[in-house]
Amino acid sequence: MGLSGGLKGPERAYAADEVQKNIVNVVGKGELSIKPDIAYLSIGVTTTADTAQEAQKGTAAKISKLTALFKTTWGIADKDIQSSQFYVQPNYTYSEKDGQKVKGYNAQHTLEVSYRDLTKVGQLLDAASAAGANNIGNVRFAIEDPSAFEAQAIEKAMQNADVKAAAIAKAAKRGLGMVVNVVQSDDGNNPVVFAEAAMMQKSAMDSAAGSSVEPGQVKITTKLTVTYELK
């Protein structure tokens, strides 16, 4: 037995249409620019030798030296030093006479180092280079705990949505009612910023002045799709 008081057929569709005519959807954007508090450094060693074992051994010795340097001289904790890449692969040569042949091996080991004294990032990279690191990637700056700022970004996005919705309601000669729905979208936007690759070039590290790496600012953004009732 059905519900006798419910809307049926065209009446239900008509009611839904009326609801759709009395709402407005806007997208509010919120953005914060914040000074980063942590840097993630990609520091590695690549060694070439006649055999895979020799290449791996040479890389292991330099990585051991670097790890000791980070811990003893720079006070970096074990948890802030992680291996991010390791491989040993052959080098090939080719000639019409002999075809493809193996000529030596490359061994690469890369560490990701988390470092929080951003005023000394350039000095740390210089020290790593002097200790044998010959494969240094970009520095990635970030907020270690962005959750403290996410609420602020959401508030700014909501304020932005309110302004847009109010302007639309005024232009339509309507009043703005209550919020009936909110959907958040971060678009996969992580609160990080990258230093320029040129700053990490080996030539810069070998200069008398040393490396200069500026952290700049990190942007935290969010978007809210907000549905308002129109009066």
Side-chain angles (χ1 to χ4, degrees), residues 24-122:
V24 60
N25 292 307
V26 298
V27 176
K29 298 179 181 179
E31 181 177 289
L32 297 174
S33 294
I34 303 167
K35 186 177 180 180
D37 57 15
I38 192 168
Y40 298 104
L41 318 176
S42 177
I43 300 174
V45 173
T46 301
T47 302
T48 301
D50 291 336
T51 67
Q53 184 178 10
E54 290 173 344
Q56 184 174 346
K57 185 177 179 179
T59 296
K62 292 179 181 179
I63 285 292
S64 178
K65 182 179 178 180
L66 282 169
T67 301
L69 173 74
F70 296 150
K71 292 179 180 180
T72 57
T73 304
W74 293 87
I76 300 174
D78 288 349
K79 68 181 181 63
D80 291 326
I81 304 173
Q82 297 182 354
S83 293
S84 60
Q85 187 180 54
F86 176 82
Y87 68 80
V88 179
Q89 63 184 22
N91 289 321
Y92 291 100
T93 61
Y94 179 82
S95 67
E96 292 185 2
K97 179 181 178 181
D98 300 323
Q100 181 174 278
K101 298 186 69 176
V102 174
K103 186 178 181 180
Y105 291 81
N106 284 339
Q108 180 171 317
H109 191 163
T110 303
L111 302 175
E112 182 173 89
V113 180
S114 302
Y115 192 59
R116 294 171 182 80
D117 188 349
L118 303 192
T119 63
K120 297 181 179 179
V121 170

Side-chain angles (χ1 to χ4, degrees), residues 13-24:
Y14 176 78
D17 289 343
E18 284 300 307
V19 171
Q20 291 299 318
K21 290 177 182 178
N22 288 285
I23 64 172
V24 60

Side-chain angles (χ1 to χ4, degrees), residues 205-227:
M205 293 178 189
D206 290 339
S207 67
S211 299
S212 176
V213 181
E214 300 298 330
Q217 289 189 318
V218 170
K219 292 187 183 297
I220 295 179
T221 65
T222 193
K223 292 181 182 179
L224 298 178
T225 301
V226 187
T227 302

Side-chain angles (χ1 to χ4, degrees), residues 101 109 150 152 167 185 189 209 212:
K101 298 186 69 176
H109 191 163
E150 289 172 353
Q152 296 179 39
S185 173
N189 196 8
S212 176

